[in-house]
Each structure stands twice: as structure tokens, then as C-alpha cells.
Amino acid sequence: MLRRTFLQGTAALLGLATTAKTASAASGPFEIQRTDAEWKAMLSSLEYRVMREEGTERAFTSPLNDEKRAGMFHCKGCDLPLYASAHKFDSGTGWPSFWQAQANAIETKADRSFFIVRTECHCRRCGSHMGHIFDDGPKPT
């Protein structure tokens, strides 16, 4: 199945080559665990809202949306490599989009907000919210 990932939580990504619901983006236990105070100390208020409360930044506001350099997108919460730049494409949505994640990098759960069921993705190591997955992405080139 072809998949498109909108990283509506791109504040949760540190960048290339470096890289309101509840106060937990996904249930776990996760390999990396921090208290709310520790998360708040290391993240901006927007990053915390996106990564830990499953918020969404406004479309077309992430500098990563127009990022074109070769490299790897890492989770800001734990530095796990999530997406290769080779798998990024312009979806026209205003959020960085990828057609494939790194192996064993993300986990998913059903998101039943807004009266529909969507597939939400989060970092498998720290549980940070990354966005949503849709099955209408482009074919790999």
C-alpha cells in the first residue's frame, strides 16, 4: 500500500542531518521516558503542544516543508532517525510529507477526533506525535 505521511507535528523534528488532548502523545511504556517538566524544559511551547499533546502546527509554517537537502529527519524527543529525505515529496498540503518511514521508527494508532478515523503516527522510542498517515501517496520513484 502506498502511504503518505503528513508531519503535522514537524516542530517535533529537529531537522535534516541533525536533528490538546492529554500530556502523552501515545500510550507506552517507551524506551525514552521523561516527566512533563523534563519535556517542557527541552521543548518550546509549540513543540510541546505538538509532540506531547498531539497538536498541529499551522500549514505552511514549518521550515521543514521546503527543506530540500539530502539527509535524515530525526525525532527531536530522542534523536531517532525517522524519515530519509529521499522519501520526502511535496503533497501541496503545507506539511512535510513522506511516502516511507525508516524501518522500526514509527508506530501508529487510531485517531478518532473530528468525527472520523485517521491513522496517527508517533515515534516508537519516545512516543512523540508526528502527524497522520494517509494511503494516497505517490508511487516510489
Side-chain angles (χ1 to χ4, degrees):
M1 171 170 52
L2 302 176
R3 295 163 58 146
R4 173 181 69 186
T5 303
F6 290 140
L7 290 186
Q8 296 165 319
T10 55
L13 298 175
L14 184 56
L16 229 43
T18 61
T19 0
K21 294 179 186 176
T22 63
S24 176
S27 59
F30 293 100
E31 180 182 337
I32 305 292
Q33 296 190 29
R34 294 184 174 90
T35 65
D36 281 344
E38 290 170 325
W39 283 113
K40 287 177 180 179
M42 70 179 279
L43 303 172
S44 72
S45 60
L46 175 61
E47 291 167 340
Y48 182 85
R49 187 175 62 80
V50 170
M51 292 171 60
R52 307 316 304 164
E53 297 178 324
E54 300 173 352
T56 300
E57 64 190 1
R58 287 183 309 129
F60 300 101
T61 62
S62 172
L64 300 180
N65 191 47
D66 296 321
E67 181 59 68
K68 306 283 190 229
R69 293 175 291 174
M72 187 67 62
F73 291 85
H74 290 237
C75 175
K76 184 161 186 180
C78 68
D79 202 34
L80 181 69
L82 299 174
Y83 298 95
S85 61
H87 299 144
K88 186 175 186 280
F89 71 99
D90 183 1
S91 65
T93 62
W95 291 291
S97 299
F98 301 84
W99 53 268
Q100 179 176 310
Q102 294 298 103
N104 197 31
I106 65 165
E107 292 179 347
T108 63
K109 71 176 188 174
D111 176 356
R112 291 179 170 78
S113 61
F114 301 112
F115 306 105
I116 59 172
V117 178
R118 299 178 294 171
T119 302
E120 182 177 293
C121 63
H122 58 270
C123 175
R124 68 110 179 127
R125 188 158 64 184
C126 71
S128 292
H129 170 75
M130 294 294 141
H132 292 87
I133 299 174
F134 301 90
D135 63 359
D136 60 350
K139 293 181 180 179
T141 59

